[in-house]
Every structure is written in C-alpha cells, then in structure tokens.
Amino acid sequence: MEAGMESRTSKVCAFVRAWYSGEKQGRLCDDYLAYELLGEAEYKQIHSDLIRKDSALYRKEGDSLESVINRFLLPIIIPRMNFLEKRIERFGKNGEKIQYVILGAGSDTFSFRSKNENIEIFEVDHPSTQRQKLKRVDSKGWEIPKNVHYVSVDFETEHIGEALLKAGFQKGKKTIFSIMGVSYYLSLPVFADMLLEISALSTKGNVVVFDYPQKRQNMSDKVKRLRNFTENLGEKMQDGYDYYEIWRVLDLLGFKIDTLLTPEKVQKKYFENDTEVGAFDNVCLLSAKYLHSDMDLETGREELQKCISQISKIEEAYL
C-alpha cells in the first residue's frame, strides 16, 4: 500500500460484505453495517469500478456485478468472515472475559455489531487506513464502545506487541488473534514475524485465525486476474505459502493447527449445494492454538531466519 493512502482492498471487502448482506440476505454472515460505514457514494464508486471494461476482473461483454463478485470476491471474503466469527463464538462461549485482536482491521464492523461487553477488542491497522475509518465513524455519529481500542501500526516497520501493550492489551489474558486478508500482501518472513509477535504475547490456549493463498507454480486465470486487480489498487499480492511453510513456522513458535480448510473443504462446507459460487482456487482458512514457547523475540527471529532458510533450500532442491 502506498504511503499515506487508505487501503482500497479493505473498502472492496466491505463492499462485498454489504452487497452480500443485502442481496443474499446474509445466509453465511450478515454485515448489516458495512454499507453504512462505506457510504452511498463509495458503494456506488466501487460498484462501477468492479464492472468497468478495463477492470482486471471483467471478462466479457455482459458481465454483471453479481457474476464478478461470485467468481472473484465472495468465495474469499464471505467464508472467512463466517469461519472467523464462529471461532470467536466458540472461544468465548462460556461468558468469560477475553481479548480479541484484529490485525489488519480495515473496514471491519465487528466492534459495532458485537454486543458482548466481555470481549475487549483491539483494532490494529496501518495509520492511513485507520485514520480514514475513524473519520467515517465520526461522520456517522457512531459511538465507539468502551471495550474497543484503536492501535495504529505499520506492519512492515513497527512492532505489533509494543503498540498493543501501550494500548492496554493484557499479556497472559485469554486472547484470539485474527489476521484475515493480510497474508496475501506479505512475504513469508514478514508474515512469520507477525506470528512471532503474537506468540510473544500469548498464553496457553490462545488462538490465531487467518487465511492464506497457496503457493502454486502455475496460477489459474482467476488467480492472475485477482492479483492484477489488487495491484491496480496499489496493493501487490505475494506468491503465497505452502502448507509445509506455514506448519513449520507455527510449530516453531509454539502453535498447533486445530482447523485447516483447504479450497476443497471450503467448497464442501460453504458451497456444496451452491450452483452459482464455488470456493476460490487457492485460498485456505486456518486456526491454531498456542501451546508453549520459551523463545524471546530476539531468539525467535534468529530461529525463524534459520527455519525459512531451510525451507528455501528444500524448495530449491525440488525445482
């Protein structure tokens, strides 16, 4: 994302959640505040941008907004919202007080939709994106709940842990971390460092939830078009990760994967009887529990560097 610019992909995601909640009546999820947060003018602009003939997502004469959303965007955005919010429900189901950290919060509206005062919410995002979001919240006259904290962090240059602790995050308290929609734009070392910071903040039983694109030698036309689309918005997608890479990093940092939904499993869980929408080609959904790690941040970074170097050597051997 360009310096000083608000995330455009964040707005596109909010648009899809708003469209789905209105047009599809929110079968899998209902983000009834997304449209209001975007505003009518922004909603109409994104609507127009998605079906322009020079859009990377436009394929042929007569493409409708629904066909573009169903093919490229809904299969990623809607399952991950359902997956995440169901996981939050299970995590805090006994009514105990928990923390919920949203890394890359963007135009997420959970803070205003949730009525659970037992969840202390920390929205973490790039300063430009967060600044614009708070302007829109203020213009709507929405009252920010007392249990919500906004934390500005540039993921490429700043430490998440330090910023969260300054904002009132309590290390050792039961916490669920979300990194939805973030990994697409980060190299493995940068994303692994983000997981390391989460590990350093965690206590046994904490959970991290994220989605990630699978690394493939031959990208499908659909994946290429989506990559071109986000790059045109100023946010370049990376190559993605292999499951082995993700597993190695999580294991090193003390996490154990408890749920992994590959595209095939996403298809079965969310779209098995849907004749219009199918799972996206290369997107996985994952949650993992934190067990234990003795590493501090400095040691962790050294070990991660060794781990990623070993992974690179293994990949080179098979190319």
Side-chain angles (χ1 to χ4, degrees):
M1 185 172 72
E2 297 176 17
M5 297 292 290
E6 181 183 7
S7 169
R8 290 292 298 165
T9 57
S10 168
K11 287 188 173 185
V12 170
C13 290
F15 172 88
V16 173
R17 297 196 308 270
W19 180 88
Y20 181 81
S21 299
E23 296 295 323
K24 299 294 185 181
Q25 288 77 52
R27 182 177 64 86
L28 294 175
C29 57
D30 183 12
D31 193 343
Y32 56 88
L33 292 178
Y35 179 87
E36 190 175 349
L37 184 62
L38 269 179
E40 182 179 5
E42 191 75 56
Y43 186 90
K44 287 182 176 179
Q45 183 61 56
I46 295 172
H47 180 294
S48 176
D49 290 345
L50 287 175
I51 55 174
R52 281 194 349 234
K53 289 188 178 181
D54 61 346
S55 166
L57 305 186
Y58 186 91
R59 290 187 303 160
K60 61 182 185 301
E61 192 70 34
D63 262 359
S64 66
L65 175 70
E66 183 169 5
S67 67
V68 169
I69 291 176
N70 283 347
R71 179 171 168 79
F72 295 98
L73 303 171
L74 190 157
I76 300 174
I77 295 164
I78 300 307
R80 77 182 180 204
M81 181 176 173
N82 178 283
F83 182 77
L84 170 62
E85 297 197 359
K86 292 294 184 184
R87 193 68 181 86
I88 296 169
E89 285 179 17
R90 297 199 305 275
F91 190 71
K93 66 180 180 180
N94 296 322
E96 57 193 315
K97 291 184 180 296
I98 65 172
Q99 295 177 134
Y100 172 36
V101 177
I102 314 172
L103 298 172
S107 298
D108 192 288
T109 63
F110 181 87
S111 298
F112 297 97
R113 288 183 288 109
S114 174
K115 307 303 179 187
N116 189 344
E117 295 180 355
N118 289 326
I119 305 178
E120 201 75 15
I121 303 170
F122 296 83
E123 288 203 17
V124 185
D125 213 330
H126 190 279
S128 299
T129 296
Q130 196 163 86
R131 184 165 51 249
Q132 292 300 320
K133 178 178 184 176
L134 289 174
K135 281 184 180 179
R136 292 198 300 277
V137 167
D138 183 64
S139 71
K140 300 296 179 184
W142 291 2
E143 183 178 349
I144 297 174
K146 294 180 180 179
N147 61 322
V148 178
H149 312 267
Y150 291 94
V151 187
S152 295
V153 175
D154 185 333
F155 297 127
E156 294 280 358
T157 61
E158 297 179 280
H159 296 305
I160 297 164
E162 292 176 4
L164 279 169
L165 291 169
K166 287 179 182 178
F169 178 89
Q170 296 181 44
K171 190 175 179 179
K173 188 174 181 179
K174 187 175 179 181
T175 306
I176 182 167
F177 297 84
S178 162
I179 331 177
M180 289 297 191
V182 174
S183 68
Y184 302 83
Y185 311 101
L186 302 180
S187 64
L188 180 62
V190 174
F191 188 60
D193 194 74
M194 184 178 287
L195 291 170
L196 170 63
E197 296 240 16
I198 291 173
S199 173
L201 292 169
S202 290
T203 188
K204 186 177 180 179
N206 280 6
V207 169
V208 61
V209 185
F210 59 88
D211 58 340
Y212 72 93
Q214 293 173 319
K215 183 189 294 183
R216 291 182 176 176
Q217 287 186 322
N218 299 312
M219 285 186 288
S220 68
D221 177 69
K222 187 190 294 187
V223 174
K224 289 178 182 177
R225 286 175 180 272
L226 184 63
R227 285 167 62 97
N228 291 338
F229 175 72
T230 63
E231 187 167 0
N232 290 339
L233 295 178
E235 297 172 53
K236 186 175 181 179
M237 285 186 172
Q238 301 293 315
D239 292 334
Y241 319 124
D242 290 326
Y243 170 76
Y244 177 72
E245 294 174 327
I246 291 294
W247 174 81
R248 279 288 305 273
V249 168
L250 287 171
D251 183 64
L252 176 66
L253 299 177
F255 289 96
K256 181 180 180 181
I257 296 172
D258 58 36
T259 307
L260 173 66
L261 297 185
T262 60
E264 294 75 21
K265 291 182 178 179
V266 170
Q267 174 67 32
K268 185 172 182 179
K269 182 176 178 65
Y270 295 109
F271 303 118
E272 187 172 27
N273 298 314
D274 197 322
T275 59
E276 298 178 345
V277 187
F280 200 78
D281 297 24
N282 69 332
V283 174
C284 298
L285 300 170
L286 183 150
S287 70
K289 283 186 178 180
Y290 180 76
L291 301 180
H292 178 72
S293 175
D294 292 321
M295 293 187 296
D296 56 25
L297 284 173
E298 183 177 353
T299 303
R301 289 193 171 97
E302 291 175 358
E303 292 302 315
L304 276 177
Q305 188 173 13
K306 293 177 186 176
C307 176
I308 292 170
S309 177
Q310 290 171 355
I311 290 171
S312 298
K313 289 178 180 178
I314 291 171
E315 288 181 341
E316 289 173 4
Y318 283 91
L319 288 179

